[in-house]
Amino acid sequence: MFFAISNILMLSCLIYSRGNQSYAEGQLTKAEECYTHGIDSFSPNEASKKALMLCYSNRAATRMSLGKMREALSDCREAIGIDSSFLKAQVRAAK
């Protein structure tokens, strides 16, 4: 079981990193796809909550840059639902 969880987290981190790289290169649609794939890859367990929260938050930033404000707000709410003290998602939601 540990091996399976470890592999899932490693894959998720790779997807997250690709999303970050795509965002930094201005490839916003690709970044959005990477974060979405990351979100879809996680199981809702304690081990993956932080990574899931970060994918939602970064997808929100990407969607804001793409002008998809409603979708971005929804992602911010998902991230805040995972960790209500995550300030970055709260700030993005306020924008």
Side-chain angles (χ1 to χ4, degrees), residues 17 20 27 43 70 92:
S17 294
N20 288 350
Q27 298 175 4
S43 61
R70 285 193 174 116
R92 286 182 179 146

Side-chain angles (χ1 to χ4, degrees), residues 53 78-87 89-90:
M53 177 192 67
E78 289 289 339
I80 293 166
I82 295 168
D83 181 355
S84 61
S85 67
F86 187 50
L87 187 60
Q90 293 175 12

Side-chain angles (χ1 to χ4, degrees), residues 6-20 38 41-42 51 54-55:
S6 178
N7 282 343
I8 291 168
L9 288 177
M10 285 181 9
L11 175 62
S12 300
C13 287
L14 178 63
I15 294 166
Y16 176 78
S17 294
R18 286 186 181 159
N20 288 350
S41 298
F42 290 114
L54 292 173
C55 279

